[in-house]
């Protein structure tokens, strides 16, 4: 009680003490004054006068960002002018400025493309300057954000020479936001899109959202849920979406909408949505025309069809390609893109769910129109804490594929657990498929270098809502940030991104950066260990997917846990080998062989591909049962390690953010113990083996955990 009183008192103090209170609302763009006084002084001289060439809305956005960023971080008065006057910072394009044109960097910029840029030390009229230049104003905006990041992270500007260009053309957030402002799998409040007040009212948050995305290179946003509502395609909603598009345009962000396949029936008054029906085609053509009238740079449609009850071409015995192509034809005259999801599965199809997308899509390779890209989740089941890469990557050389990652932590502790996802993203991106010899990583398939895809893209399911800190958990911001950074450049390391984010969010002090990065880097593996070690998957609680549920059974086997873990007295794991469901055979030969044998299958995927006896010997020398228990216990214990790390930063950061994370870590610790106890007790019924004596016994019996109900969990 005493402790709670103290916490409340400290919170009150922090709220009233403006200099300390930080609610995280400014994200990584908080532009606090630099801590290093000497550096601040020298930067202040370097970045006092800016020549910013050009004058459209993007240039205005650059100007605003520089004014705020430089004057806050450097505590100086920055002057920005559109005339060359021997300033020391020069920003713009060769077409917007004689001085930049005179640098003869056109070819270099051309090579970097529209979004690429350079930041380099140059001489203009014999004056040493730092130039941020691009072919386009949007590229100059990206370069400006990079420059501000370099300042914030206290980088060296001497003889600077940076060249940047993105690895994917389309770097997109997917919002699973409904028109009533609920967010499917959203844990950070309501949807930030206030459809009721649009188009009349523009929240400042819309601009902040655009700035944050542009700062990490995101250039597209799908506003609505994949489980779509056809109403968004009516004029009333298009007008609302257009208002958002207007806000985002200066920041280089295009909007996309989700297209409900049955919209011709629901809002078009037709009797069918058959993609080969002429009236249906006409409906979509007119719909596209109506959208482009209001949103001339509309990005296109994202479609979930024939999955989890959503309508689709299967309803008319048509293929996924026929469905996608019909929409592509409607968008084609306007330059729009169809992002067609490969997440197609049905419990009535009598094969392992992991096989279904591949079986459905591979025969259609090359049959999609050139403005269709197929959006594939990182793994074949569903955003699990760990999955092997989706076998579709590499299997469709003639159809551009894009990645769909989840940023929102549906299966990784919602906005309560600290789980840094860049290691998960990197694990998939760096997997070698060997499809064209060694080095044929998933990343290289996505960026087009393996199959020469003409369109390249990557999407992340957003974790953003109306919470003051945007993502519920402050560290959720790091996942938004890391997704953007990797969408721009998949070669960046998870660790460097974490350090960059920590510096921009908290401080450049090593006493902060080091522990924060260590926590972040360990957090995903920890989350896997206390939930689904050794390749276990889909054993979470029903519906909300937050806590443990290895006991979940039900009508649809593909939505139960018992279907996936297959635990019995003889062993545990899903046999996907050539003797089982044969999912291994969807992988290229080399990978297939590796996964098919227990000798070579990485232990992290063992129970994903193999059903093994409880006394199977692991590399550690332990039995499978002991190893599993060991993982559950050490995983849960490591949250305590994380708490200690976090406590070490207390004296270096503001109380408000410190306490926010501290409270959540305590919840995470208790949840991790619940996962551990539930799973160990549940599986022990089958293994009938003891918990090794070095570990404390679970406090409560299995029934206690089975009966624990969580009500009104958000995000459903
Ligand atoms: C699952 C989610 C569900 C989504 C579905 C999807 O539980 O809410 O609608 O993915 O991606 O992970 O369509």
């Amino acid at each position: 009680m005493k402790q709670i009183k103290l916490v409340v008192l400290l919170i009150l103090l922090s709220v009233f003490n403006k200099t300390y209170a930080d609610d995280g609302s400014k994200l990584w763009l908080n532009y606090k004054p630099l801590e290093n006084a000497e550096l601040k002084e020298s930067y202040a001289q370097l970045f006092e006068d800016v020549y910013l060439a050009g004058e459209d809305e993007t240039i205005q956005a650059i100007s605003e960002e520089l004014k705020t960023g430089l004057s806050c971080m450097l505590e100086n008065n920055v002057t920005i002018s559109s005339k060359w006057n021997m300033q020391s910072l020069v920003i713009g394009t060769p077409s917007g400025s004689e001085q930049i044109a005179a640098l003869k960097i056109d070819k270099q910029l051309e090579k970097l493309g529209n979004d690429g840029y350079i930041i380099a030390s140059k001489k203009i009229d014999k004056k040493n300057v730092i130039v941020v230049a691009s072919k386009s104003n949007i590229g100059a905006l990206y370069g400006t954000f990079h420059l501000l990041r370099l300042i914030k992270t206290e980088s060296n500007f001497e003889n600077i020479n940076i060249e940047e260009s993105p690895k994917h053309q389309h770097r997109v957030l997917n919002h699973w936001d409904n028109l009533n402002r609920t967010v499917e799998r959203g844990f950070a409040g309501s949807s930030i899109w206030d459809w009721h007040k649009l188009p009349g009212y523009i929240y400042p948050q819309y601009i902040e959202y655009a700035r944050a995305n542009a700062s990490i290179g995101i250039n597209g946003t799908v506003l609505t849920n994949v489980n779509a509502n056809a109403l968004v395609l009516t004029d009333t909603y298009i007008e609302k979406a257009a208002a958002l598009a207007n806000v985002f345009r200066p920041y280089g962000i295009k909007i996309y909408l989700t297209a409900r396949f049955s919209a011709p029936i629901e809002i078009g008054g037709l009797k069918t949505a058959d993609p080969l029906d002429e009236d249906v085609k006409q409906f979509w053509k007119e719909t596209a025309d109506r959208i482009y009238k209001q949103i001339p740079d509309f990005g296109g449609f994202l479609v979930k069809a024939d999955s989890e009850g959503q309508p689709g071409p299967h309803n008319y015995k048509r293929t996924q390609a026929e469905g996608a192509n019909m929409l592509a034809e409607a968008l084609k005259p306007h330059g729009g893109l169809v992002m067609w999801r490969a997440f197609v599965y049905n419990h009535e199809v009598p094969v392992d769910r992991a096989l279904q997308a591949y079986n459905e899509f591979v025969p259609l390779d090359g049959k999609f129109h050139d403005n269709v890209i197929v959006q594939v989740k990182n793994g074949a089941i569903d955003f699990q804490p760990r999955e092997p890469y989706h076998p579709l990557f590499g299997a469709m050389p003639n159809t551009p594929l894009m990645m769909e990652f989840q940023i929102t932590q549906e299966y990784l502790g919602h906005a309560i657990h600290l789980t840094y996802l860049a290691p998960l993203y990197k694990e998939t991106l760096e997997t070698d498929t060997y499809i064209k010899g060694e080095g044929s990583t998933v990343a290289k398939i996505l960026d087009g270098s393996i199959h020469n895809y003409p369109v390249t893209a990557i999407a992340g399911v957003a974790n953003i809502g109306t919470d003051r800190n945007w993502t519920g958990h402050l560290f959720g911001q790091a996942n938004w940030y890391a997704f953007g950074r990797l969408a721009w450049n998949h070669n960046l390391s998870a660790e460097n991104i974490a350090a960059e984010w920590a510096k921009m969010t908290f401080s450049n002090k090593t006493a902060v950066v080091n522990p924060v990065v260590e926590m972040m880097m360990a957090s995903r593996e920890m989350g896997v260990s206390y939930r689904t070690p050794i390749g276990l998957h889909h054993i979470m609680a029903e519906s909300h997917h937050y806590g443990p549920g290895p006991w979940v059974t039900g009508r649809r086997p593909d939505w139960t846990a018992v279907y996936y873990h297959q635990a019995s007295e003889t062993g545990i794991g899903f046999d996907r080998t050539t003797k089982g469901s044969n999912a291994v055979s969807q992988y290229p030969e080399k990978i297939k062989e590796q996964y098919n044998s227990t000798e070579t299958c990485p232990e992290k995927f063992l129970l994903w591909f193999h059903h093994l006896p409880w006394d199977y010997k692991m590399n550690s020398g332990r039995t499978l049962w002991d190893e599993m228990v060991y993982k559950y216990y050490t995983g849960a214990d490591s949250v305590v390690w994380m708490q200690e790390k976090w406590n070490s930063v207390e004296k270096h950061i503001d109380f408000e953010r410190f306490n926010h994370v501290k409270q959540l870590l305590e919840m995470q610790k208790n949840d991790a113990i619940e996962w551990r106890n539930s799973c160990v007790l549940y599986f022990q019924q089958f293994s009938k083996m003891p918990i090794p004596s070095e570990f404390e016994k679970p406090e409560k019996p299995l029934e206690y955990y089975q009966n624990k109900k969580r009500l009104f969990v958000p995000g459903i």
Side-chain angles (χ1 to χ4, degrees):
M1 194 58 196
K2 239 190 185 163
Q3 215 185 346
I4 295 181
K5 271 192 189 152
L6 184 68
V7 169
V8 172
L9 183 71
L10 285 168
I11 292 176
L12 278 175
L13 281 174
S14 77
V15 168
F16 290 109
N17 186 344
K18 286 269 184 316
T19 51
Y20 283 101
D22 187 335
D23 58 12
S25 60
K26 295 203 158 37
L27 297 158
W28 49 90
L29 300 175
N30 61 45
Y31 297 139
K32 289 193 180 142
L34 293 194
E35 296 148 302
N36 181 331
E38 220 175 289
L39 210 55
K40 187 165 74 177
E41 182 59 37
S42 77
Y43 285 171
Q45 283 171 15
L46 201 55
F47 302 116
E48 198 165 37
D49 289 320
V50 187
Y51 165 42
L52 174 61
E55 53 185 24
D56 69 356
E57 283 188 306
T58 301
I59 295 292
Q60 259 171 40
I62 296 179
S63 175
E64 290 304 319
E65 202 65 40
L66 283 171
K67 251 185 253 161
T68 322
L70 293 177
S71 61
C72 294
M73 286 192 289
L74 308 179
E75 298 184 293
N76 69 343
N77 281 327
V78 52
T79 55
I80 302 176
S81 162
S82 59
K83 299 224 159 39
W84 167 240
N85 189 19
M86 303 295 272
Q87 293 94 332
S88 47
L89 176 60
V90 174
I91 303 179
T93 62
S95 58
S97 151
E98 267 173 53
Q99 285 72 24
I100 297 179
L103 292 170
K104 304 249 175 295
I105 49 175
D106 295 56
K107 280 213 183 96
Q108 186 188 8
L109 296 180
E110 191 60 45
K111 204 182 74 211
L112 297 174
N114 228 33
D115 293 351
Y117 57 86
I118 62 160
I119 304 178
S121 303
K122 299 266 177 199
K123 265 196 173 32
I124 298 183
D125 294 344
K126 299 205 177 111
K127 168 149 176 108
N128 289 327
V129 293
I130 290 178
V131 174
V132 179
S134 168
K135 220 185 121 179
S136 76
N137 288 345
I138 293 295
L141 175 71
Y142 290 148
T144 303
F145 275 116
H146 191 155
L147 178 95
L148 292 167
R149 181 164 77 232
L150 292 172
I151 294 174
K152 180 79 197 195
T153 55
E154 304 186 344
S155 314
N156 187 355
F157 283 89
E158 215 173 304
N159 296 324
I160 192 164
N161 190 10
I162 291 175
E163 258 194 9
E164 283 281 336
S165 65
K167 295 275 186 202
H168 307 96
Q169 294 157 7
H170 305 283
R171 307 170 295 276
V172 184
L173 285 185
N174 287 184
H175 288 268
W176 286 358
D177 294 18
N178 298 313
L179 300 180
N180 64 3
R181 294 194 80 178
T182 56
V183 182
E184 185 154 341
R185 310 307 175 189
F187 314 110
S190 307
S191 166
I192 52 172
W193 319 131
D194 190 339
W195 294 99
H196 183 55
K197 291 206 197 114
L198 281 166
Y201 187 75
I202 300 297
Y203 286 82
Q205 282 90 326
Y206 297 155
I207 300 164
E208 287 165 18
Y209 168 88
R211 286 176 50 227
N213 280 324
S215 78
I216 47 177
I218 287 171
N219 67 354
T221 177
V222 183
L223 301 176
T224 45
N225 192 354
V226 284
N227 294 320
N229 186 330
L231 286 178
V232 81
L233 304 174
T234 58
D235 282 338
T236 315
Y237 278 92
I238 293 169
E239 194 187 348
K240 294 168 189 282
L244 290 174
N246 293 343
V247 176
F248 301 159
R249 192 167 296 113
Y251 294 89
I253 298 166
K254 280 190 182 182
I255 66 154
Y256 299 73
L257 295 172
T258 44
R260 185 164 163 86
F261 203 76
S262 51
I265 303 172
E266 287 153 17
I267 59 165
L270 299 181
K271 294 231 153 39
T272 177
D274 182 347
L276 300 193
D277 182 281
E278 287 309 316
D279 291 340
V280 172
K281 288 186 187 175
Q282 187 58 23
F283 165 85
W284 285 109
K285 194 185 156 309
E286 280 166 15
T287 301
D289 293 347
R290 278 190 294 112
I291 296 176
Y292 280 93
K293 219 166 168 188
Q294 296 203 57
I295 313 171
D297 55 354
F298 178 63
F301 294 134
L302 169 65
V303 189
K304 170 177 179 177
D306 295 318
S307 170
E308 303 183 334
Q310 293 301 305
H314 281 177
N315 300 134
Y316 307 95
K317 304 210 168 10
R318 310 293 184 201
T319 67
Q320 299 299 303
E322 285 167 323
N325 289 345
M326 178 222 10
L327 294 176
E329 274 163 34
L331 294 171
K332 180 78 181 175
H334 309 282
L337 188 64
V338 176
M339 295 168 169
W340 188 269
R341 294 176 94 219
F343 186 62
V344 173
Y345 73 102
N346 188 336
H347 62 295
E348 278 158 14
V349 176
V351 293
D352 173 7
R353 172 174 162 189
L355 290 155
Q356 294 187 27
Y358 181 102
N359 288 347
E360 175 101 27
F361 280 84
V362 170
L364 299 174
D365 187 27
K367 299 217 165 83
F368 291 89
H369 286 354
D370 62 2
N371 59 330
V372 177
I373 186 161
V374 174
Q375 180 166 315
V376 185
K377 291 189 180 184
N378 55 292
I381 298 290
D382 190 10
F383 299 136
Q384 293 302 291
R386 168 166 280 135
E387 295 200 30
Y389 80 94
H390 202 305
L392 271 176
F393 294 115
M396 297 190 67
N398 303 306
T399 307
L401 300 183
M402 64 185 282
M403 174 67 80
E404 177 176 332
F405 281 128
Q406 207 174 35
I407 308 173
T408 191
Q409 293 169 226
E410 175 179 357
Y411 298 102
L412 280 156
H414 296 187
I416 294 176
H417 291 202
L418 192 162
T419 313
Y420 175 53
L421 294 175
L424 183 160
Y425 303 155
K426 286 290 281 186
E427 182 173 286
T428 308
L429 293 170
E430 281 177 357
T431 306
D432 200 339
T433 67
Y434 300 99
I435 202 78
K436 284 211 175 159
E438 207 158 314
S440 307
T441 58
V442 170
K444 286 195 183 153
I445 291 167
L446 293 171
D447 72 17
S449 44
I450 300 281
H451 302 306
N452 265 324
Y453 288 158
V455 191
T456 57
I458 180 162
V461 180
N463 60 348
I464 299 163
T466 50
D467 275 10
R468 280 166 77 159
N469 68 10
W470 296 84
T471 52
H473 197 305
L474 185 70
F475 277 73
Q477 297 180 357
N479 293 332
W480 177 7
Y481 185 84
F483 167 77
R485 298 290 286 124
L486 288 171
W488 182 272
N489 181 2
H490 54 64
N491 290 327
L492 297 174
S493 78
E495 192 161 3
N496 285 346
I497 298 173
E500 206 175 85
W501 177 80
K503 288 178 184 176
M504 296 181 71
T505 302
F506 297 115
S507 160
N508 281 282
K509 287 188 196 134
T510 48
V512 175
V513 178
N514 291 354
V516 166
V517 171
E518 282 174 51
M519 288 165 69
M520 290 168 80
M521 289 305 291
S523 61
R524 186 273 184 139
E525 198 59 49
M526 245 176 233
V528 171
S529 296
Y530 64 69
R531 282 189 187 85
T532 51
I534 326 177
L536 285 174
H537 51 287
H538 211 293
I539 58 169
M540 64 287 162
E542 232 174 328
S543 162
H544 59 68
H545 300 168
Y546 180 72
W551 45 77
V552 171
T553 54
R555 269 183 311 126
R556 265 190 82 151
D558 60 347
W559 283 359
T560 67
V562 293
Y563 170 84
Y564 293 98
H565 63 62
Q566 303 271 320
S568 69
E569 288 185 14
T570 59
I572 182 167
F574 199 121
D575 186 355
R576 295 195 167 98
T577 66
T578 42
K579 297 201 185 82
S581 83
N582 201 21
V584 281
S585 296
Q586 293 186 336
Y587 288 98
E589 202 49 38
K590 199 159 168 169
I591 302 272
K592 171 188 164 180
E593 274 170 30
Q594 193 194 9
Y595 292 168
N596 199 40
S597 151
T598 50
E599 301 281 298
T600 48
C601 182
E603 282 195 346
K604 60 184 180 184
F605 296 139
L606 205 55
L607 301 178
W608 187 282
F609 290 110
H610 298 269
H611 185 83
L612 295 169
W614 294 105
D615 60 0
Y616 173 83
K617 270 267 171 312
M618 302 290 288
N619 290 336
S620 60
R622 297 185 192 99
T623 62
L624 172 58
W625 165 253
D626 280 358
E627 181 81 3
M628 192 187 276
V629 175
Y630 174 82
K631 290 271 183 200
Y632 274 115
Y633 273 80
T634 51
D637 278 354
S638 48
V639 183
V640 178
W641 168 85
M642 198 146 68
Q643 288 180 300
E644 283 158 14
K645 289 273 159 200
W646 185 246
N647 287 341
S648 78
V649 308
E650 178 169 12
K651 50 185 175 299
H652 302 291
I653 70 168
D654 50 287
F655 173 78
E656 197 176 16
R657 289 186 298 174
F658 172 75
N659 189 48
H660 159 82
V661 176
K662 187 181 162 87
Q663 291 187 68
L664 292 172
L665 282 174
E666 186 62 22
M667 291 179 75
Q668 181 169 359
K669 182 187 80 184
N670 295 331
D671 289 344
I673 293 172
E674 183 187 334
W675 265 96
R676 176 194 81 188
N677 292 352
S678 303
C679 294
V680 167
L681 289 172
Y682 173 80
F683 291 128
Q684 194 177 32
Q685 301 177 102
F686 305 104
S687 80
K688 306 204 184 307
M689 291 161 100
I691 295 171
S693 56
E694 60 197 285
F695 300 122
E696 70 195 273
K697 302 280 167 298
E699 239 181 81
K700 307 258 179 13
L702 177 61
E703 299 72 57
Y704 167 84
Y705 299 104
Q706 283 177 311
N707 291 332
K708 195 165 173 172
K709 294 262 173 306
R710 290 185 162 86
L711 301 174
F712 306 113
V713 181
I716 303 170

